[in-house]
Amino acid sequence: LATCGSTMEVGYDLASLKARRILLFVDPHVAKLPPFENVLCSIDQHVPKSYELDIYDQIRVEPDNESFQHAISYMTNQTAKHGPYDAIVALGGGSTIDTAKAANLYSCYPPNNFYDYVNPPLGKGLPVPGPLTPLIAIPTTAGTGSETTGVAIFDDTPTKSKTGIAHRRLKATLGIVDPDNIRSLTPSVAKYSGIDVLCHAMESYTAIPYNRRPSGKPPSPILRPAYQGSNPISDVWSIHALKECTEYLPRVVENLHSDEEARSKMCLAASSAGMGFGNAGVHLCHGMSYAVASQVKGDFWVDGYQRMDCGRDNEKDSGGKHGLVPHGLSVVINAPAVFRFTGTPMSVMNDAAMSPAEEYSMDRHVKCATILANARMKRRGSTAANRVISEKAMREKPGEALSNELLELMNDLNIPIGIRSLGYNENDIEELAKGTLPQHRVTKLSPRQPVGLEELKILFTE
């Protein structure tokens, strides 16, 4: 469901589910904004008056293992005291929706150990045993697409890396995508959540094809990975999202509050990209981002993101502060280097003929570069200094072409280039690369292999 004002329909949807006992997860900042009041009003209007509503607002921006477990404990304890919930509502960005997914899973099917459901190699990656409590996801950013995906991502503080839980049963029962809900975003939040959409689209489109996935066909359907590699269905969603994002992201950053068309297009682009990468997966941009975000330097912060104490004891003890590299920024900061790498086939480096698989990958890099170049022309106008290089030139160096076009867009959006701008230096490269190595579920989807420690160190250095 995607239309302005659609948040007011959530009460009707809960009534259709015959929900009487409801748990609402909400970002503490969003709890002060109109979308929260709209949800409460709709529930009160449509759900029979005997309903019970619990509210969990202790969401951590960029959740970690501790914040997930805090939310899980809350839902588990409330269920033990008062009985199971009939429905869950998650109102917020990806952090809120992912937290709700995790709490839903662990309270329905408590494991022996927190890491039992967590992706390997950090966890066992056990499949979700059965259906979960119905979840209605209402995003308040146009970025993660979490309302469409079966993944929940968190920082693993013991290993200084980012990981997650992935299974199709984690997907929301319903996503309500309301462009009015992003009206109150700051330009920074709109920019970095939107650039995440762009990377979702490009990574899923350029990922290794589903029929060349290293793991091959799983022995059982329940073991089929959430990320399967690029495929004809995900391609439709990813290309649509890429075209919309390259055109409307600059507009939404420049004029978020009054440009309803741009807000609507970006909200749909986020969900479209979510359906694309939710099936195909992402690769190195996201794999590397997890280390960048989880190893944030000190109290690094980006203007436009609100600092807040979410209320938990461990946050209060540290003054309620933690550093933050916004997810979209952590993803795009290395993207030019990644696409230069993935768009330069090994055969070319070895003066050999390209294989069919490499030609397939190069075609996809050229298509992405062309979409970005055409959007740049439309954005800046046709001048001698602003032109699109020929397709022949792009095909000679697909990685360079895509990397350069991405850098042009980052420049137009005033996005910093390189991890040095986030406070990292040469001494951090080794740990960043090591923090990326556990991300097997995404690094193995890179169209260029191998991607080991040395390759990652070079990419972080670039």
Side-chain angles (χ1 to χ4, degrees):
L1 178 62
T3 186
C4 290
S6 55
T7 300
M8 287 297 294
E9 299 181 17
V10 65
Y12 173 83
D13 296 313
L14 289 167
S16 297
L17 291 170
K18 295 181 169 52
R20 297 295 182 271
R21 210 167 123 63
I22 304 161
L23 175 56
L24 171 59
F25 287 85
V26 61
D27 179 292
H29 175 61
V30 174
K32 303 172 185 177
L33 299 174
F36 178 66
E37 293 300 324
N38 290 340
V39 168
L40 296 184
C41 179
S42 181
I43 291 174
D44 199 52
Q45 180 179 352
H46 293 285
V47 179
K49 299 305 178 184
S50 59
Y51 74 84
E52 300 174 35
L53 176 66
D54 291 334
I55 298 173
Y56 182 86
D57 64 357
Q58 299 180 44
I59 305 295
R60 187 184 194 271
V61 180
E62 299 296 332
D64 59 18
N65 53 298
E66 293 180 359
S67 70
F68 264 19
Q69 290 177 82
H70 189 276
I72 291 164
S73 295
Y74 175 86
M75 185 171 175
T76 301
N77 291 339
Q78 290 296 100
T79 297
K81 291 178 183 177
H82 307 291
Y85 290 100
D86 299 313
I88 300 168
V89 177
L91 176 68
S95 296
T96 301
I97 299 173
D98 285 3
T99 299
K101 290 176 184 176
N104 191 9
L105 168 60
Y106 282 75
S107 64
C108 287
Y109 304 101
N112 293 324
N113 184 284
F114 173 75
Y115 289 92
D116 283 354
Y117 293 124
V118 175
N119 297 324
L122 295 181
K124 295 181 180 179
L126 296 182
V128 178
L132 304 179
T133 303
L135 166 64
I136 299 177
I138 310 176
T140 57
T141 63
T144 68
S146 185
E147 70 278 4
T148 69
T149 70
V151 294
I153 303 299
F154 67 94
D155 288 332
D156 186 58
T157 52
T159 59
K160 296 183 179 180
S161 64
K162 216 176 187 78
T163 185
I165 308 155
H167 195 275
R168 60 183 178 274
R169 283 185 168 138
L170 288 179
K171 291 182 179 181
T173 308
L174 173 68
I176 298 179
V177 181
D178 185 346
D180 285 346
N181 288 347
I182 72 168
R183 188 191 294 271
S184 60
L185 293 181
T186 65
S188 286
V189 176
K191 173 169 64 178
Y192 291 124
S193 58
I195 206 69
D196 189 29
V197 176
L198 185 89
C199 290
H200 284 157
M202 291 196 297
E203 287 177 78
S204 58
Y205 188 70
T206 59
I208 191 170
Y210 73 100
N211 52 9
R212 291 181 50 235
R213 193 175 66 236
S215 58
K217 184 178 179 180
S220 167
I222 199 172
L223 298 176
R224 183 176 291 118
Y227 291 171
Q228 300 183 51
S230 60
N231 59 78
I233 302 301
S234 64
D235 289 349
V236 174
W237 294 109
S238 299
I239 286 298
H240 172 76
L242 181 57
K243 290 178 178 178
E244 297 288 87
C245 192
T246 53
E247 180 172 354
Y248 292 102
L249 176 56
R251 278 177 52 178
V252 86
V253 172
E254 181 179 356
N255 205 1
L256 174 68
H257 304 289
S258 60
D259 195 337
E260 183 177 309
E261 180 186 27
R263 291 200 314 274
S264 298
K265 294 288 189 178
M266 281 304 301
C267 284
L268 284 174
S271 294
S272 297
M275 287 184 274
F277 90 85
N279 287 281
V282 288
H283 55 82
L284 294 181
C285 303
H286 272 76
M288 295 169 69
S289 80
Y290 298 151
V292 172
S294 62
Q295 297 181 32
V296 57
K297 305 295 285 186
D299 61 352
F300 177 89
W301 208 266
V302 170
D303 290 342
Y305 282 78
Q306 185 168 341
R307 293 180 183 268
M308 64 185 70
D309 175 5
C310 69
R312 299 191 309 274
D313 291 340
N314 62 325
E315 294 280 328
K316 291 177 180 177
D317 291 343
S318 62
K321 296 181 180 180
H322 58 87
L324 173 72
V325 178
H327 175 65
L329 175 56
S330 71
V331 171
V332 79
I333 200 76
N334 291 301
V338 165
F339 289 116
R340 190 181 301 115
F341 171 80
T342 59
T344 305
M346 289 292 293
S347 60
V348 171
M349 298 182 66
N350 297 326
D351 293 324
M354 280 197 293
S355 68
E358 288 176 326
E359 289 182 357
Y360 174 91
S361 178
M362 296 310 104
D363 286 345
R364 292 186 164 234
H365 283 73
V366 168
K367 184 164 186 174
C368 290
T370 301
I371 291 172
L372 265 67
N374 289 337
R376 170 174 55 82
M377 287 288 290
K378 185 175 181 179
R379 188 169 64 247
R380 296 181 184 174
S382 180
T383 66
N386 183 45
R387 60 187 180 83
V388 176
I389 65 172
S390 67
E391 182 176 337
K392 181 175 182 292
M394 284 189 180
R395 289 191 175 282
E396 289 176 354
K397 293 184 177 181
E400 287 290 340
L402 181 50
S403 177
N404 290 340
E405 287 298 337
L406 181 55
L407 287 168
E408 293 284 356
L409 178 59
M410 292 171 69
N411 181 66
D412 286 354
L413 293 174
N414 195 29
I415 294 176
I417 309 296
I419 59 173
R420 191 179 296 275
S421 62
L422 309 182
Y424 295 99
N425 58 43
E426 290 80 0
N427 297 328
D428 300 306
I429 298 298
E430 183 90 13
E431 286 302 310
L432 288 169
K434 288 180 178 178
T436 305
L437 285 176
Q439 312 301 329
H440 292 173
R441 69 188 179 92
V442 292
T443 58
K444 288 183 177 179
L445 292 176
S446 168
R448 177 175 163 182
Q449 296 288 341
V451 182
L453 183 63
E454 292 308 312
E455 288 81 9
L456 289 169
K457 286 164 66 174
I458 292 171
L459 287 173
F460 276 116
T461 302
E462 292 184 0

